[in-house]
Amino acid sequence: MAKRSGKNGAKSGEKKRRNGILIYHDMAVYENFERCAHRIFQVVQRAQRARPGAPRYLYLRVQGHRNDEGGYDRDAWEIMRYFTLEYLFPYLTGASTPMFEVKNDKKQCNDLPDRLDIAYPKDEDGFWYDVDTLSVQSRELISDERKSPPSKEVIADYLGMSGDPCCLICWRRPAERAHVVPVSLGGSMNVRNFALLCDEHHRDAPDIADAEGFWAWVDYAEMRDSGSKWEGAPEKIKEWALKFGSRIGKYDRSELDFVDAVKFELAHLYGWEEDDFSSFSWGLHEEYHRVLDVATGRHFGIDKKVSTHAWAYNVALYRLDRNKESRLRRRKRVLLFDSIP
């Protein structure tokens, strides 16, 4: 029998009500299914480690990710309908998304798997680009008839921004309209084919005919340069950001030459490992770039950009390496919050 104490006869062994943990995640327009799922899963794991068994509530919002009919695209639909509602829900007490708000009627499960493994449909390896065709890969399948770009305000609204439009990566103003797929490579004036970037990040962004490759780079650059968001903030805000583990200031990687910068991006954005790098004759490539620098300064009429060349090297590797296991190994190295030094 439970012991009683005090005037009210309260049970001395009665458990205090536990405060829950609210997990908030914006599925940014540059996040695909894999990146979004892994990141939410990682935060749920951290919540369990920090406060084992505490009720967890997921509050998910979606930026952009619209299809041709105006509904949610495949990535956002699968995150809400399948990942959140079917896979992750047993490990939550409740969940709220733009499509539904539900409470778990069963006891929250706290025995989370050590890792999240995403299975791809049969005969697919999860790679986002058809390396056999090298065709234009656009998010909008049906291009509208616009002949001029939409306003920055319309683009900002699609991207889920409020207030004065700013750079997606560093939050600086003014922001420029950046084509996801350049018009010269088949891109349209559809609002889904635009990002807002500052002049610096606009210059650095890849010039490629692959929308998902562009958004993957924006995602990578946003994490790589995350500290730049706080550069103009008041000192008290900077102290608060440092207290919670944020970076302050942008890392200076100016000492990297072009080839080393490409290698850095291949490793941290595309998940290349030693076996991948060893398959290239990098000495030959260094000489190749040296000749082009002296002779032209441009590569076959395309501005010399680290991001463009890293993307092309990665696609080239997929074209040469048809081993499904090695493809999946690289694919599973999803860019997480603390994976860029």
Side-chain angles (χ1 to χ4, degrees):
M1 181 179 292
K3 296 180 180 179
R4 295 179 178 270
S5 63
K7 294 182 179 179
N8 295 327
K11 295 180 181 179
S12 61
E14 186 176 29
K15 293 183 179 179
K16 295 181 179 179
R17 184 177 180 181
R18 308 190 67 178
N19 292 327
I21 297 176
L22 176 63
I23 299 170
Y24 181 92
H25 185 81
D26 264 326
M27 184 182 186
V29 67
Y30 46 78
E31 283 186 309
N32 63 4
F33 174 86
E34 290 91 343
R35 290 192 290 277
C36 184
H38 276 282
R39 287 167 183 169
I40 294 174
F41 181 76
Q42 183 189 56
V43 175
V44 173
Q45 278 187 319
R46 290 181 176 180
Q48 171 62 17
R49 288 195 293 266
R51 295 184 56 197
R56 292 182 289 270
Y57 301 88
L58 173 65
Y59 190 80
L60 175 68
R61 287 298 172 259
V62 178
Q63 301 172 0
H65 285 288
R66 295 292 176 171
N67 59 25
D68 292 315
E69 289 73 37
Y72 289 108
D73 66 14
R74 185 181 65 179
D75 283 335
W77 167 260
E78 290 183 346
I79 279 291
M80 291 185 280
R81 173 63 180 85
Y82 297 107
F83 176 71
T84 300
L85 196 56
E86 294 187 5
Y87 177 82
L88 194 64
F89 194 63
Y91 307 105
L92 302 171
T93 294
S96 173
T97 78
M99 291 178 58
F100 56 79
E101 185 171 343
V102 290
K103 184 177 180 181
N104 192 346
D105 293 331
K106 299 179 181 180
K107 185 177 180 181
Q108 173 184 284
C109 179
N110 297 307
D111 187 19
L112 276 81
D114 293 331
R115 67 180 187 182
L116 174 65
D117 284 325
I118 295 176
Y120 298 100
K122 188 177 180 180
D123 299 326
E124 291 187 18
D125 59 11
F127 188 57
W128 37 257
Y129 195 86
D130 187 348
V131 298
D132 291 318
T133 63
L134 293 180
S135 58
V136 174
Q137 304 288 321
S138 177
R139 274 191 175 177
E140 72 272 11
L141 299 178
I142 304 174
S143 298
D144 57 26
E145 299 300 321
R146 290 186 63 98
K147 301 300 182 183
S148 59
S151 68
K152 293 181 185 179
E153 289 70 25
V154 169
I155 298 171
D157 181 66
Y158 173 73
L159 296 174
M161 293 180 175
S162 59
D164 189 15
C166 64
C167 177
L168 276 172
I169 295 171
C170 64
W171 297 353
R172 288 177 183 160
R173 297 179 176 89
E176 300 176 352
R177 288 173 293 200
H179 280 88
V180 175
V181 176
V183 173
S184 60
L185 295 176
S188 74
M189 292 296 177
N190 188 296
V191 68
R192 288 181 290 160
N193 193 45
F194 284 89
L196 292 174
L197 302 176
C198 65
D199 59 347
E200 178 184 350
H201 285 116
H202 196 175
R203 289 194 305 270
D204 290 344
D207 295 321
I208 54 179
D210 172 28
E212 294 306 326
F214 175 92
W215 288 121
W217 181 87
V218 171
D219 182 56
Y220 155 81
E222 191 273 336
M223 297 175 70
R224 180 195 66 188
D225 300 339
S226 60
S228 61
K229 293 183 174 71
W230 307 101
E231 288 179 340
E235 290 303 317
K236 287 186 177 180
I237 299 297
K238 290 182 180 180
E239 292 175 4
W240 176 86
L242 286 171
K243 179 181 177 182
F244 287 95
S246 294
R247 297 174 178 174
I248 301 296
K250 184 178 177 181
Y251 276 99
D252 181 12
R253 296 191 175 91
S254 59
E255 76 283 356
L256 293 177
D257 64 20
F258 185 83
V259 173
D260 285 338
V262 170
K263 288 182 179 180
F264 184 91
E265 196 155 306
L266 287 171
H268 295 95
L269 170 54
Y270 297 112
W272 278 34
E273 297 175 337
E274 278 303 315
D275 289 345
D276 303 315
F277 286 109
S278 63
S279 64
F280 279 84
S281 173
W282 287 100
L284 175 61
H285 281 264
E286 289 172 2
E287 187 62 27
Y288 158 81
H289 287 291
R290 192 174 298 113
V291 170
L292 285 178
D293 286 341
V294 173
T296 67
R298 295 169 67 85
H299 292 182
F300 306 109
I302 299 174
D303 286 338
K304 181 178 178 181
K305 289 186 176 182
V306 168
S307 57
T308 301
H309 283 267
W311 173 86
Y313 279 131
N314 190 52
V315 173
L317 181 60
Y318 272 81
R319 287 172 67 86
L320 295 172
D321 180 11
R322 297 310 179 103
N323 183 285
K324 189 171 183 177
E325 290 185 3
S326 61
R327 284 184 169 193
L328 283 173
R329 173 175 49 80
R330 286 188 297 273
R331 186 65 170 157
K332 287 179 179 178
R333 290 195 62 190
V334 174
L335 192 63
L336 297 174
F337 296 113
D338 52 2
S339 57
I340 302 178

